[in-house]
Amino acid sequence: MSKKSSYIVLTVIALLTAGCVYLISQLRFSYDFEAFFPRGDAETEFYYNYRQKFETDNDFIIVAIENDKGIFQPDFLQQVDSLTNVLRRTDDIVEVMGVTQLQEYQRDPVLGQVFTLPMLRINEPENYSIDSLRVYSTPGMVGLFVSEDGKSLAINMKHTAKLSKDKCDVLSRTVQDEVAKFNFQKTHVIGRALGQRLYVELMIEELILFISFSLFLTTIFLFIAFRSGWGIVIPTLVVLMGIVWTLGFIKLLGKDLDLMLTVLPTILFVVGMSDSVHVLTKYMQELRNGKEKIEAIRYAFKSIRLATFLTAFTTAIGFLTLIFSNIQPISDFGVYTSVGVMLAYGLTYTMLPAILVLAKPKRLYVFAAGEDFWTKKLHTSLLWILGRKRIVLLTGAVVVLLSIMSIFTIKVDNKMLEDLRDTHLLKREFNFMETNFSGCRPFEMAIQLESDSQAFSPAFLHDLDTIDYFLKNEYGVGSLISLAEIIKTSNKALNAGQLEYFAIPKDDYEVSKIEKFLRRKDLSKITSLYYNPDEKLLRISGKMADAGRKHYDTLNTRLNEFVANNTQTNFTHHVTGTAHLIDINNAALVENMVWDLLLSVGVIGLVMGLVYRSWKMIVLTIIPNVIPLIIVGGIMGVAGIPIKVSTSIIFNIAFGIAVDDTIHFLARVRTLLGEGLSVLYAVKRTFLTTGKAMIVTTLILSGGFLTLVLSDFLGTFYIGFLISLTLFIAIFCEMTLTPLLVMFFYRDKKS
């Protein structure tokens, strides 16, 4: 490449980069947890149809307020009532229910008229003892509106369905600001609007944090490797341009940054550095051998172009296999990261040589001409390995065997907010609601009837009440509402509010009176949320603790058995809802993960076999890189790290990255064998030269991924920790096992 063509290349890259910077300025952050629902799944389609008939189960905001002296204090209740009125007037709040404004229906036994009574007479403290008894004896109040210990109450709100992110941000801030004005002892706000905002804010903070720490660690490792400012600046510029181009490409396709894509710049930063380091290492080696600058540039790029292409290609394959995931954010992550890897490779072979041609990195020349301390260290290591072949192989076999046994203990489990650390505000609020109220995990269950007349038959209502009893007492559903609960509440109201009438009537006549009562305009709206006569569909909803998928899988089995053995009428039931869909999604992760990994291993092995026309290259590529995955899987089993959305992708990513060093090692060995060297000498030369670049790139990669452990998202933490661990184990296998495997498969061979 001449100086003129170098200027042209850099000018074109600068113009394209400027365009990408403009596109990046239009990028937005989003968090749509529904994107994690399994695509094309029957359960997902069922839920979407179900909520069209009723309502969504996550468009709510709960404000919980604590008072150490107890909630039945005049001043406290007056303040709560004032706040309730303020929240009722807030934009996009469509319903507000709080204990200070709840009304109870009752029918006068003499006159037969239906009237309403306040559940709690806040302006009459002398009646608090009576009213508090009524509040705590009324089914459904505890856990929904008041805590069991009497020191907290909750204002429950519904907001506009499917509210956009911008409006959710405004709404959550407005609610928090209004609550803060009242100076209560302690308050808690929870709901999708707030959760979405806090997630996005955290994503932005962590994106900046990850890039900053990656840049810092990479600078240190590059300085150790090259002892030159240019040795730091050149690879860093190439990778930064690759990140800018990738983000611009994402926006060009109309995509915003979600939770998965926030780690993409960090991954590209460390992964994209690999090719630049290998090229610079080879370039310095040629300078050390006495070549002039231009000749050294040409030889460096020519000698490792196949190896660097294969490493970029196989890394891209590792990410691209994620496209087959039925979870959209994971699929998008795989596509865009693979594109970014190839863009970084393209810049390595355009921008990097152009900079080397035009720049005069004197310090780089000086360091290249000096003694390389790596040579002695690597030479000693190789002698140790070759002198202890049996120990190395036997130790490796034992570790792999123990790891395989441990893999079978890995759990496949998940919770709704488990990816947040316990110290995060959202997690603390979530835990408070679980401890003092019914929880925040939505429960939804559909019941399909055979006929519309069945809904108000005493026999079916008794069956429905039996199911409700199981859900409340065995399944753990709190704040439960169903048609049976509405019927029982109405029966109590029509009988002067006597608690003994909170039951399903035994005859058709009594039920028909209740059915007529529920046609009142103010009550029919509530009933329609739990019974759709056109579809002959009923809804049971509530809140519960977030005990994890495995817990609820067991309870769902028990629920099916209970319904089959304890009901008399004919109907079908179906547990659904957002939390249920996330559970189903995670249940399929293991199978998807295994198939994606097998596809990645198979394609990469096949590519190596076809390129070098040798089945031996397939074996030599796969074995050293599958072993680290097995060991890390074993560590996950021992440490109790479950398989979930975040941890399910690490094996594909780690394999696609770790295989790069194998490719560089094998490519160099093949080149030296082609030059007529013996197997032993080819392995030695490769170990001493390519080995340095492999170690440096692994340090950069592992250090970069380790920055992710600073995340408040435990999923991101696990991605950083487990991939770093895998890469450390992989380089150890590469430097110990691969030389022995090469000498075994190519023994007696000389080119």
Side-chain angles (χ1 to χ4, degrees):
M1 182 180 288
S2 64
K3 287 189 176 182
K4 181 179 179 180
S5 59
S6 296
Y7 280 118
I8 294 173
V9 167
L10 293 178
T11 301
V12 172
I13 290 174
L15 292 174
L16 290 173
T17 303
C20 289
V21 169
Y22 171 76
L23 289 172
I24 292 172
S25 68
Q26 310 300 311
L27 264 178
R28 296 292 179 266
F29 291 83
S30 68
Y31 177 68
D32 179 12
F33 75 93
E34 289 194 10
F36 287 88
F37 293 169
R39 293 179 295 176
D41 189 89
E43 290 282 354
T44 303
E45 295 303 316
F46 180 89
Y47 172 67
Y48 286 155
N49 291 329
Y50 168 84
R51 74 179 182 185
Q52 284 180 351
K53 308 298 186 299
F54 299 110
E55 61 181 352
T56 60
D57 61 355
N58 62 341
D59 290 326
F60 66 85
I61 296 179
I62 301 173
V63 176
I65 307 167
E66 295 184 67
N67 193 41
D68 291 339
K69 295 180 179 179
I71 59 176
F72 296 103
Q73 303 293 323
D75 293 343
F76 175 73
L77 289 175
Q78 289 288 350
Q79 279 190 301
V80 170
D81 191 59
S82 298
L83 174 60
T84 304
N85 289 327
V86 170
L87 295 174
R88 195 181 301 279
R89 296 190 296 268
T90 303
D91 291 342
D92 285 311
I93 293 294
V94 297
E95 184 179 356
V96 179
M97 293 185 293
V99 70
T100 64
Q101 297 184 6
L102 284 178
Q103 299 287 318
E104 183 181 35
Y105 286 93
Q106 282 193 22
R107 187 178 67 171
D108 189 296
V110 178
L111 300 176
Q113 294 179 332
V114 177
F115 57 92
T116 59
L117 290 173
M119 185 68 72
L120 178 60
R121 290 166 285 186
I122 62 172
N123 296 318
E124 302 174 21
E126 65 273 12
N127 291 316
Y128 280 6
S129 59
I130 299 172
D131 291 349
S132 63
L133 182 62
R134 180 165 59 248
V135 167
Y136 274 86
S137 62
T138 299
M141 294 294 293
V142 178
L144 180 59
F145 296 107
V146 295
S147 64
E148 190 171 354
D149 64 4
K151 294 185 177 181
S152 306
L153 56 74
I155 303 172
N156 292 268
M157 295 170 281
K158 292 180 183 178
H159 60 71
T160 306
K162 302 177 184 178
L163 205 59
S164 68
K165 179 193 172 298
D166 290 339
K167 288 189 175 182
C168 278
D169 290 350
V170 172
L171 177 59
S172 63
R173 286 194 177 93
T174 300
V175 170
Q176 285 183 310
D177 290 344
E178 295 296 345
V179 171
K181 291 177 183 177
F182 285 83
N183 296 314
F184 290 109
Q185 284 183 1
K186 198 167 185 181
T187 59
H188 308 268
V189 181
I190 196 152
R192 179 176 70 87
L194 176 65
Q196 181 173 266
R197 193 190 97 218
L198 293 179
Y199 260 74
V200 171
E201 289 175 355
L202 186 57
M203 286 159 55
I204 295 172
E205 292 174 9
E206 294 199 343
L207 179 62
I208 297 171
L209 177 69
F210 296 154
I211 292 178
S212 301
F213 268 86
S214 295
L215 184 60
F216 174 72
L217 289 175
T218 302
T219 299
I220 293 175
F221 289 133
L222 288 175
F223 180 78
I224 292 173
F226 300 115
R227 310 287 177 87
S228 164
W230 280 104
I232 298 170
V233 172
I234 296 174
T236 302
L237 273 177
V238 171
V239 175
L240 286 176
M241 292 302 101
I243 294 172
V244 169
W245 284 23
T246 304
L247 294 177
F249 176 76
I250 290 173
K251 186 58 186 177
L252 190 64
L253 295 184
K255 177 74 176 177
D256 288 323
L257 294 180
D258 57 29
L259 180 59
M260 294 296 300
L261 291 178
T262 55
V263 301
L264 183 145
T266 304
I267 290 176
L268 287 182
F269 195 92
V270 294
V271 171
M273 197 69 71
S274 176
D275 286 338
S276 296
V277 169
H278 278 283
V279 169
L280 280 178
T281 301
K282 186 63 180 174
Y283 170 61
M284 289 173 60
Q285 181 184 336
E286 297 310 313
L287 290 177
R288 193 178 294 115
N289 291 337
K291 290 186 173 65
E292 294 297 326
K293 182 174 79 168
I294 299 300
E295 185 183 0
I297 293 173
R298 287 174 180 167
Y299 187 83
F301 279 90
K302 181 180 179 181
S303 63
I304 63 172
R305 63 187 175 189
L306 177 59
T308 50
F309 170 76
L310 287 175
T311 56
F313 185 62
T314 53
T315 300
I317 289 174
F319 286 108
L320 197 59
T321 54
L322 298 175
I323 194 175
F324 297 106
S325 172
N326 64 346
I327 304 171
Q328 188 66 51
I330 291 181
S331 178
D332 290 343
F333 172 78
V335 171
Y336 295 128
T337 310
S338 62
V339 169
V341 169
M342 295 311 296
L343 286 174
Y345 169 78
L347 287 166
T348 301
Y349 276 79
T350 52
M351 182 178 177
L352 181 55
I355 292 175
L356 289 176
V357 167
L358 297 176
K360 297 179 180 179
K362 294 181 179 179
R363 286 281 302 169
L364 200 60
Y365 298 155
V366 172
F367 183 60
E371 182 181 5
D372 189 357
F373 86 98
W374 291 89
T375 302
K376 292 182 179 179
K377 301 294 183 184
L378 290 173
H379 188 271
T380 302
S381 299
L382 181 61
L383 290 177
W384 188 92
I385 293 166
L386 295 179
R388 294 167 178 79
K389 295 179 185 177
R390 292 186 178 181
I391 295 176
V392 170
L393 295 175
L394 182 60
T395 303
V398 171
V399 171
V400 169
L401 181 61
L402 292 174
S403 298
I404 291 173
M405 294 170 62
S406 180
I407 284 174
F408 290 101
T409 66
I410 295 178
K411 296 179 180 179
V412 183
D413 202 5
N414 64 281
K415 294 182 180 180
M416 292 185 67
L417 286 187
E418 68 178 345
D419 268 353
L420 283 176
R421 294 183 187 271
D422 290 337
T423 55
H424 191 271
L425 172 63
L426 194 59
K427 188 67 171 287
R428 296 201 311 268
E429 304 289 55
F430 203 89
N431 290 338
F432 174 84
M433 293 303 297
E434 286 199 346
T435 302
N436 297 277
F437 292 88
S438 297
C440 296
R441 176 186 166 110
F443 173 83
E444 294 287 333
M445 179 169 152
I447 292 184
Q448 185 69 60
L449 305 178
E450 291 188 341
S451 65
D452 54 2
S453 62
Q454 185 181 0
F456 289 94
S457 70
F460 169 73
L461 288 172
H462 277 94
D463 281 346
L464 185 58
D465 191 39
T466 300
I467 295 172
D468 287 354
Y469 180 86
F470 177 86
L471 291 174
K472 286 186 283 188
N473 293 280
E474 301 293 333
Y475 203 102
V477 180
S479 307
L480 186 145
I481 307 177
S482 70
L483 183 61
E485 294 293 303
I486 293 173
I487 294 290
K488 291 193 294 183
T489 302
S490 301
N491 191 33
K492 174 173 170 278
L494 293 176
N495 287 277
Q498 298 179 70
L499 189 59
E500 60 264 30
Y501 284 93
F502 186 77
I504 301 295
K506 295 181 179 180
D507 58 75
D508 290 330
Y509 175 71
E510 293 297 327
V511 173
S512 65
K513 286 197 302 183
I514 295 172
E515 184 179 2
K516 182 179 179 181
F517 173 66
L518 291 175
R519 293 195 190 112
R520 290 170 55 112
K521 185 177 181 181
D522 50 347
L523 294 176
S524 62
K525 183 179 179 182
I526 297 174
T527 308
S528 66
L529 292 176
Y530 297 92
Y531 173 49
N532 187 313
D534 296 333
E535 300 291 333
K536 302 186 288 292
L537 192 66
L538 283 88
R539 172 194 182 201
I540 302 176
S541 71
K543 297 285 193 300
M544 53 190 181
D546 191 23
R549 183 191 67 82
K550 290 181 73 66
H551 175 76
Y552 287 113
D553 277 354
T554 301
L555 287 178
N556 286 334
T557 301
R558 288 177 57 194
L559 173 62
N560 294 337
E561 294 172 353
F562 180 85
V563 172
N565 297 326
N566 295 276
T567 57
Q568 308 300 319
T569 55
N570 295 322
F571 59 87
T572 58
H573 69 283
H574 196 125
V575 175
T576 186
T578 53
H580 180 67
L581 287 178
I582 293 173
D583 288 349
I584 291 173
N585 175 40
N586 279 270
L589 281 177
V590 173
E591 183 178 352
N592 290 339
M593 178 192 72
V594 171
W595 284 112
D596 289 347
L597 182 59
L598 288 176
L599 178 63
S600 179
V601 171
V603 171
I604 291 173
L606 185 62
V607 167
M608 290 296 291
L610 291 175
V611 168
Y612 289 101
R613 299 179 182 179
S614 171
W615 65 268
K616 295 178 182 179
M617 294 296 284
I618 299 176
V619 178
L620 290 170
T621 300
I622 292 175
I623 290 179
N625 295 293
V626 168
I627 289 176
L629 303 185
I630 294 173
I631 295 173
V632 169
I635 292 172
M636 289 178 65
V638 171
I641 301 173
I643 293 291
K644 49 188 176 179
V645 172
S646 51
T647 55
S648 68
I649 66 173
I650 65 156
F651 296 101
N652 289 68
I653 297 174
F655 183 82
I657 297 172
V659 78
D660 291 357
D661 286 336
T662 308
I663 292 172
H664 279 291
F665 193 97
L666 296 178
R668 181 61 176 161
V669 167
R670 294 274 301 200
T671 299
L672 294 174
L673 290 176
E675 294 175 0
L677 300 180
S678 67
V679 176
L680 178 59
Y681 195 68
V683 168
K684 177 185 175 183
R685 284 278 299 274
T686 302
F687 196 91
L688 299 182
T689 55
T690 307
K692 172 194 171 180
M694 289 163 55
I695 293 172
V696 171
T697 54
T698 298
L699 288 174
I700 292 172
L701 289 166
S702 298
F705 277 111
L706 273 176
T707 62
L708 301 182
V709 304
L710 300 172
S711 174
D712 274 339
F713 294 112
L714 287 182
T716 306
F717 168 87
Y718 283 130
I719 289 176
F721 172 69
L722 293 175
I723 292 181
S724 296
L725 182 62
T726 306
L727 294 178
F728 272 120
I729 296 172
I731 190 63
F732 184 78
C733 290
E734 202 67 58
M735 301 299 285
T736 55
L737 186 59
T738 302
L740 300 180
L741 290 175
V742 170
M743 293 179 67
F744 173 79
F745 279 101
Y746 285 93
R747 64 189 187 281
D748 303 326
K749 280 278 185 181
K750 288 187 179 181
S751 180

